Amino acid sequence: MGNIALVVGATGITGSNLAEELIAQGWITYGLSRNIDNAIPGLRPVKANLLDEENLTEALAGISPTHVYFTTWMRNDTEEENIRVNSALVRNLLHVLSPKKSVQHVALVTGLKHYLGPFEAYAKDGILPETPVREEHPRLSLPNFYYAQEDEVYQASEREGFTWSVHRPHTVVGYAVGNLMNIGTTLAVYASICKETGRKFIWPGSEAQWNGVSDVTDAKVLAKQLIWASTTETAKNQAFNITNGDIFRWKWLWKRLADRFGIEAEGFNGSVRPLEKELQNDHPLWKAIAEKYDLKENHLNKLSSAWHTDLDLGRPLEVMCDMSKSRKLGFTAFKSTEDSFAEVFEKLKAEKMIP
C-alpha cells in the first residue's frame, strides 16, 4: 500500500510492540532509537539522537516516512525541564522531516498524566479529575510536557498539512526490557524475589487503588489503535483514550497474580508500602538469583521500574478511562487484563529474564 512507518522509540514497550504489529501488517517499518536493537525481525533500525538535529538529519537521509509514531520521552528532574526537552524531541524530528514532504500522519502517545497532572503533582493538591476520564476533559492549569508535545504536533500539522492523532493509554502492560515505565516486568521481578525468599507479595499502593475500579492498556491493543487511527479517515485529528476494554479491582487481580508464582499475597493493611522501598536492598539478591537460574539480566534497575509502579498504584482515587469515543468510530480491539499480565510473565520466563 506504500505505507512507510517511522516508529520513534522502537525499543520501548509501546514502540517495540507497535513495530511488530506494523511489520505483521506488511508495512515498511523503521525503528528510531538511541540504541540500535535488531531483536525485531523485519525492523529497519535507525540510531539517532533526537536532541541533535544534525545527527538526526544524517540518520534519516534517504528515509521518507508516510506515518510517524512518536512513542518516547526523556525523564528530567522537573516538569519545566521535561517540557523543554520533550517538546524539543518532537519539534526536532518534525523539522528534519519537513523538507521531505512525505508525512501524511503523526501519532503521538502520551497518557493519563494528561488528566492527573505531572509526576511532581501527580493527583495531589486536590487535583482529582472526575472518573472515568474522557477525552474532552480540559487541560489542567499545571505545566505538563504532554501538552507541550501535543502543541508541537498541532503546530506542525497546520504548517505541513498532515493529519494527527493523540493516544492516551492507562498503565501499559507488555514485554520490554529496560523500559522506564513497565509494571508487568516490575511485578514479575518482585514476585520472583518473593518466591525465592519466601516473602509475601505485598500490595504497595493506596486503599483507593486496592478497592477501586481500574483498567490498564495492553501494548498490543495500543499498537492496534495507533494503526487504526492513522489509517481511518473518521479517526484523524482526534485524541483517544485506550485501554483493554475490561475493568477490574486490584484486590481481585493481586491474588491472581500471586497465584501464578505460587506465592502468598498480602493486601492493603492501612498504609501505603512503596515497592521502591521494598526492593531497595535487593540488588545483590537479584544478582544471585540471576546467576542461580542463568538469567540474561542481573541488574535489578534494568528490569524493575518500581518508582513508576508506585505512582500508578499509589493514586488516592480510583482511575479508569471512558472508551466510548473510539468504540463509536469502529475500534473494537479487546484484551483480558489477566491475560495481558500472564502473557508478559510467560514471555519473560521464556526469554530467561525471570526464573
Side-chain angles (χ1 to χ4, degrees):
M1 299 188 302
N3 289 328
I4 301 173
L6 176 64
V7 178
V8 185
T11 59
I13 188 170
T14 297
S16 60
N17 282 277
L18 172 60
E20 289 179 348
E21 182 66 23
L22 285 162
I23 292 165
Q25 292 191 22
W27 291 50
I28 295 172
T29 306
Y30 292 91
L32 189 152
S33 60
R34 283 172 290 178
N35 300 300
I36 292 177
D37 186 349
N38 292 313
I40 300 174
L43 181 65
R44 306 182 185 194
V46 179
K47 184 177 181 179
N49 180 358
L50 287 165
L51 292 175
D52 184 339
E53 279 202 52
E54 183 177 348
N55 171 260
L56 198 53
T57 300
E58 293 175 0
L60 292 172
I63 301 173
S64 299
T66 58
H67 295 68
V68 176
Y69 300 94
F70 205 96
T71 73
T72 192
W73 72 292
M74 293 183 181
R75 188 186 184 196
N76 297 275
D77 291 336
T78 67
E79 193 61 18
E80 285 71 20
E81 192 66 5
N82 275 334
I83 290 169
R84 185 187 70 80
V85 171
N86 289 289
S87 61
L89 302 183
V90 177
R91 183 170 60 254
N92 291 347
L93 177 70
L94 297 180
H95 182 255
V96 166
L97 292 176
S98 178
K100 299 176 184 291
K101 306 298 181 185
S102 64
V103 177
Q104 300 172 16
H105 187 91
V106 174
L108 173 67
V109 178
T110 60
L112 293 203
K113 290 194 301 297
H114 184 94
Y115 308 110
L116 299 171
F119 288 134
E120 60 196 46
Y122 207 41
K124 297 176 182 176
D125 301 323
I127 301 170
L128 302 176
E130 182 182 14
T131 58
V133 293
R134 293 176 170 85
E135 294 91 342
E136 65 267 22
H137 284 188
R139 289 182 175 183
L140 302 174
S141 57
L142 290 169
N144 192 322
F145 80 85
Y146 283 171
Y147 304 161
Q149 287 189 314
E150 284 185 353
D151 289 342
E152 292 292 343
V153 172
Y154 301 155
Q155 292 163 17
S157 172
E158 290 182 5
R159 290 194 310 268
E160 308 292 338
F162 58 73
T163 57
W164 56 266
S165 57
V166 175
H167 304 259
R168 298 170 186 161
H170 199 163
T171 303
V172 178
V173 179
Y175 178 79
V177 176
N179 183 260
L180 285 174
M181 302 184 294
N182 195 328
I183 191 173
T185 301
T186 299
L187 293 182
V189 168
Y190 176 39
S192 298
I193 288 173
C194 290
K195 184 171 185 177
E196 187 69 16
T197 61
R199 282 152 53 179
K200 291 182 179 180
F201 190 54
I202 296 173
W203 168 253
S206 68
E207 182 178 13
Q209 281 289 297
W210 178 251
N211 290 316
V213 176
S214 191
D215 50 26
V216 299
T217 308
D218 190 286
K220 295 184 184 300
V221 173
L222 174 54
K224 291 181 184 299
Q225 194 196 57
L226 282 159
I227 300 170
W228 166 81
S230 66
T231 56
T232 302
E233 200 61 35
T234 54
K236 293 177 180 177
N237 299 331
Q238 298 192 58
F240 296 103
N241 291 333
I242 174 62
T243 64
N244 283 353
D246 66 350
I247 56 174
F248 64 92
R249 298 183 195 275
W250 277 106
K251 66 180 181 181
W252 169 82
L253 183 60
W254 194 250
K255 185 180 186 305
R256 297 181 76 87
L257 299 184
D259 287 346
R260 289 188 173 274
F261 286 85
I263 56 180
E264 182 180 353
E266 182 173 311
F268 182 75
N269 76 340
S271 62
V272 174
R273 294 174 284 178
L275 185 56
E276 191 168 28
K277 183 177 180 180
E278 175 73 15
L279 296 178
Q280 66 182 356
N281 297 320
D282 287 334
H283 297 272
L285 173 60
W286 186 257
K287 284 183 180 291
I289 291 173
E291 182 176 355
K292 178 178 178 180
Y293 295 100
D294 193 28
L295 304 181
K296 292 180 180 177
E297 181 55 68
N298 65 2
H299 290 281
L300 185 60
N301 282 345
K302 291 184 178 180
L303 290 173
S304 167
S305 52
W307 66 273
H308 187 263
T309 296
D310 285 337
L311 282 170
D312 275 350
L313 301 185
R315 295 168 182 157
L317 76 165
E318 64 175 13
V319 181
M320 78 290 297
C321 302
D322 182 81
M323 280 282 292
S324 300
K325 188 176 181 181
S326 61
R327 295 297 191 220
K328 288 179 180 179
L329 293 174
F331 180 73
T332 59
F334 173 88
K335 183 83 173 185
S336 158
T337 290
E338 188 174 8
D339 289 349
S340 290
F341 280 102
E343 289 175 13
V344 171
F345 296 162
E346 289 166 6
K347 175 75 170 177
L348 287 165
K349 188 171 184 177
E351 295 294 326
K352 296 192 70 65
M353 292 296 174
I354 62 172

